[in-house]
Amino acid sequence: MIGKSSRTGRTLQYLALAGYLIFLGFPLVWLVSTAFKPPRELVQLHPTLIPSNPTVQNFVQAFTEQELGRAALNSLQVSLASAVLTVLVALPASYALARFRSKLGTAALGWVLLSQLFPFVLLIIPIFLVLRQVGLANTHAGLVLIYVVWALPFALWMLQGFVRNIPRELEEAASVDGASRVQVLRRVVFPLLAPGVVATALFSFISAWNEFFFALVLIKTPELATLPVALARFVGIEGTARLGPLAAGSLLATLPSLIFFAFMQRRLSSGSLAGAVKG
Amino acid sequence: MTTLAERPDVDRAGKPGRGGRSRSDRTMIYLLLLPSLLPILVLSVFPLLRGMYLGFTDARAGRNVEVTFTGLENYRELLGDELFWNSFKIGLLWAFGVTVLQFVLALGLALLLNQQLRFRGVARVLAVVPWAMPPVVVGILWKLVYHPDAGLLNEFFHRVGADGLRTNWLGDFGTALPAVIIVGVWAGMPQTTVVLLAGLQGVARELHEAAAVDGASAWHRFRHVTLPALTPVIVAITSLDFIWNFNSFGLVYVLTAGGPGGKTMLPMLFAYEEAFRYGNYGYAAALGNVMVVIIVALLAVYLRRRLREAN
């Protein structure tokens, strides 16, 4: 089979792969390079791909002058609260969804799919009105509430996959031994669910960390802005020399998700997430 | 809450059999589901229904504003709104452009990654990174690439001696929309690639080998073995991609904010401006309703055609 045609085929495949690598990779290289360039290199007429005098000055500046530090702290608070709350709320429900066939469960999962169809505009106005009525419109608490509800459907789906992976026999054995329902949950189910809880918490942390639209609409006080909103505001400030701190801030904003994906990839390959993936 | 009152917890010894279900079990299920269902009802289902209703009213921003039901008035106004039609056309161009390019490029990449090629590992990692980036950061990243003075793209054209191609990609009327579409493709390709790759790995190897023994060419094997097996996955991911793209907001907001001269004013951006800049809640909600109807109609046509082809 190894003839001339298959060798040209291979060459074409490598050429295509190279094309993909350039398309996917170069913008990333450019972001990293811009983040490490001193102001002088940023404004020079013909920028270079690799900074000749790399510096961390942009990172320092992003945090001191542009108040991205405070925004990052806000984001951290909101995302942590969302992650913890999502898990606490989703845990009992996912157990019920996995262990008992219920029409309610089917309806909940159907809603997950259906809600994808609707543009955020339809949601945001009533949510904004409701939150304003209860005095949570311009607060982190209001934002956390929205993020929890937003992450819940997927969190439920993910966690119930993990619950399904725990053999029912384990629970039955424990209750035969005289453990109460609550004891079975606490001593048998929850410890085995730990990886699922971590994955779900990470997922809701990241979706809150990355979210932009709700934060843009609901938070009006600049001091309360989350990192994506602060970065987007920063974009509006023109001037080529500012691109350095902007790139540095963007790079830092990506780190949590990158860690998450690295973690998930290991989990995915080790198979412990298979249940969650297959549903 | 009524379930709790009506069903006192008496039947603890009741058998949790597969068919019938004891009352205590039932109560417990509702108790377990309640903390999740309540917030979803209050902050997702209810707002959505109210949002759809607002589309038939003259709701405006501000406290204590009287809201009156106006029926189809908003839609009559939308029909005559040239800005809306313009934004709608742009939205369809964007959603179709991004979804089709995303799919074609992702399928190509997935096929490559499914082969025994060197650098496959690097490509796999790179193919996932854009997925991990917040949309705002993707926007910033490409703003840096497209930057007229300090951008990678213009510098590349200068280096290869094509200075004539240098332009203000995001600021020029002609290039803004295509430039933005490319960013959309870049941002959404990873997810599509991963899904298609998973689908490809599910195609039985024996079928391929049998076809190869029968002397089918690579193209024939792709056309008659791989593609049919992959169809369900393709239909699912392209439908989802289309919905996501049509409803996308953050990326283009950061890149162009709808400019220059409204050339990249996606429907979501248009609705956002209508609602939160001009305070026309009712009109913006009506716009949202129209978007839902259009998406559902387009998906129905697409899915029906696919289903008919499958039979």
Side-chain angles (χ1 to χ4, degrees):
Chain A
M1 279 301 279
I2 300 174
K4 223 172 203 163
S5 69
S6 94
R7 189 158 305 164
T8 37
R10 264 284 125 111
T11 317
L12 280 176
Q13 283 180 341
Y14 275 110
L15 272 176
L17 193 66
Y20 278 112
L21 287 178
I22 290 170
F23 177 56
L24 289 167
F26 264 72
L28 294 170
V29 174
W30 193 244
L31 179 72
V32 176
S33 143
T34 309
F36 286 101
K37 273 180 187 169
R40 199 164 31 81
E41 280 184 54
L42 285 168
V43 296
Q44 85 188 23
L45 190 58
H46 291 296
T48 53
L49 191 60
I50 311 291
S52 26
N53 300 299
T55 165
V56 291
Q57 194 189 335
N58 291 325
F59 291 87
V60 177
Q61 208 184 337
F63 274 83
T64 51
E65 282 171 41
Q66 305 301 335
E67 296 180 336
L68 289 182
R70 186 170 51 200
L73 220 62
N74 287 340
S75 270
L76 197 66
Q77 260 174 22
V78 169
S79 311
L80 274 178
S82 304
V84 171
L85 263 176
T86 305
V87 168
L88 283 181
V89 168
L91 209 48
S94 60
Y95 179 79
L97 285 178
R99 283 295 186 251
F100 307 99
R101 271 190 193 288
S102 152
K103 280 190 189 116
L104 219 54
T106 323
L109 290 180
W111 179 254
V112 176
L113 288 174
L114 200 66
S115 61
Q116 298 276 313
L117 271 176
F118 297 94
F120 280 154
V121 189
L122 283 180
L123 273 171
I124 191 72
I125 298 168
I127 283 179
F128 177 68
L129 294 174
V130 168
L131 287 182
R132 199 176 59 184
Q133 231 152 29
V134 293
L136 289 175
N138 190 18
T139 63
H140 284 165
L143 207 55
V144 169
L145 259 178
I146 303 300
Y147 288 166
V148 170
V149 174
W150 201 48
L152 251 181
F154 190 75
L156 283 176
W157 179 69
M158 209 162 146
L159 260 180
Q160 63 110 19
F162 280 98
V163 176
R164 260 171 225 258
N165 273 1
I166 301 172
R168 209 184 261 269
E169 290 73 31
L170 276 180
E171 286 178 56
E172 280 160 11
S175 60
V176 165
D177 288 349
S180 73
R181 247 207 168 116
V182 178
Q183 277 175 325
V184 170
L185 286 181
R186 232 183 39 207
R187 303 254 169 85
V188 179
V189 178
F190 289 162
L192 285 171
L193 263 183
V197 167
V198 172
T200 311
L202 275 172
F203 160 76
S204 46
F205 180 92
I206 293 305
S207 59
W209 179 269
N210 288 355
E211 206 283 330
F212 175 62
F213 185 62
F214 288 120
L216 178 74
V217 173
L218 294 176
I219 303 292
K220 285 288 158 244
T221 317
E223 287 76 30
L224 292 177
T226 56
L227 195 52
V229 176
L231 279 170
R233 289 230 174 88
F234 195 178
V235 173
I237 309 166
E238 282 306 324
T240 311
R242 301 220 180 225
L243 294 179
L246 183 63
S250 304
L251 214 52
L252 289 172
T254 311
L255 278 183
S257 331
L258 274 184
I259 294 167
F260 169 67
F261 270 78
F263 174 84
M264 289 303 272
Q265 214 162 28
R266 235 190 20 232
R267 292 258 151 204
L268 276 168
S269 55
S270 74
S272 47
L273 246 178
V277 174
K278 282 175 199 153
Chain B
M1 282 294 142
T2 47
T3 22
L4 285 180
E6 277 166 20
R7 298 170 204 275
D9 199 14
V10 281
D11 198 21
R12 238 176 213 298
K15 272 197 179 147
R18 301 268 147 132
R21 189 178 289 153
S22 74
R23 284 184 166 187
S24 74
D25 268 358
R26 213 171 259 260
T27 314
M28 185 159 125
I29 294 173
Y30 284 118
L31 272 178
L32 290 173
L33 287 176
L34 199 67
S36 282
L37 290 185
L38 203 64
I40 291 183
L41 276 177
V42 174
L43 284 167
S44 180
V45 178
F46 166 71
L48 201 61
L49 294 176
R50 190 163 165 207
M52 290 168 93
Y53 168 73
L54 281 179
F56 298 93
T57 69
D58 62 353
R60 292 190 53 82
R63 277 161 207 272
N64 307 320
V65 179
E66 193 103 348
V67 176
T68 45
F69 184 80
T70 54
L72 297 175
E73 184 55 38
N74 285 329
Y75 304 91
R76 204 167 301 137
E77 203 178 320
L78 270 175
L79 276 176
D81 189 342
E82 206 177 307
L83 287 174
F84 161 72
W85 283 110
N86 205 21
S87 153
F88 209 76
K89 238 172 32 207
I90 292 165
L92 285 179
L93 270 175
W94 151 270
F96 274 113
V98 174
T99 307
V100 169
L101 285 174
Q102 229 167 36
F103 167 67
V104 172
L105 285 177
L107 183 62
L109 183 57
L111 286 169
L112 282 174
L113 292 180
N114 204 27
Q115 306 269 324
Q116 295 298 329
L117 291 177
R118 251 172 280 177
F119 308 111
R120 196 172 59 157
V122 189
R124 276 193 184 196
V125 171
L126 266 185
V128 173
V129 171
W131 193 1
M133 299 183 108
V136 169
V137 170
V138 174
I140 290 171
L141 165 81
W142 278 87
K143 251 184 122 76
L144 294 175
V145 171
Y146 284 140
H147 198 281
D149 310 315
L152 176 66
L153 198 57
N154 276 348
E155 186 53 28
F156 168 76
F157 284 129
H158 169 76
R159 293 278 165 93
V160 298
D163 274 290
L165 287 174
R166 290 173 61 113
T167 175
N168 184 2
W169 298 98
L170 294 171
D172 202 279
F173 274 51
T175 55
L177 187 58
V180 165
I181 286 177
I182 286 175
V183 181
V185 173
W186 189 86
M189 221 177 84
Q191 208 167 0
T192 314
T193 308
V194 170
V195 170
L196 288 175
L197 189 58
L200 278 177
Q201 282 162 352
V203 177
R205 198 163 283 277
E206 297 78 40
L207 281 176
H208 260 278
E209 279 157 9
V213 169
D214 287 349
S217 68
W219 167 249
H220 264 94
R221 269 177 286 153
F222 172 72
R223 181 75 188 74
H224 295 291
V225 178
T226 311
L227 217 50
L230 211 55
T231 304
V233 179
I234 292 174
V235 172
I237 191 65
T238 45
S239 304
L240 274 174
D241 274 341
F242 184 80
I243 296 171
W244 287 332
N245 289 328
F246 199 68
N247 289 337
S248 114
F249 175 81
L251 204 60
V252 178
Y253 180 88
V254 170
L255 278 169
T256 59
K263 283 286 173 209
T264 57
M265 187 64 83
L266 303 184
M268 266 296 278
L269 287 164
F270 185 76
Y272 168 79
E273 297 238 303
E274 222 24 84
F276 296 103
R277 181 183 280 191
Y278 306 115
N280 298 324
Y281 289 167
Y283 196 58
L287 236 154
N289 283 338
V290 171
M291 282 170 71
V292 175
V293 171
I294 299 283
I295 291 180
V296 170
L298 286 173
L299 279 181
V301 170
Y302 176 63
L303 292 176
R304 249 186 72 183
R305 263 180 62 183
R306 292 290 118 172
L307 276 177
R308 204 175 293 160
E309 271 170 33
N311 289 335

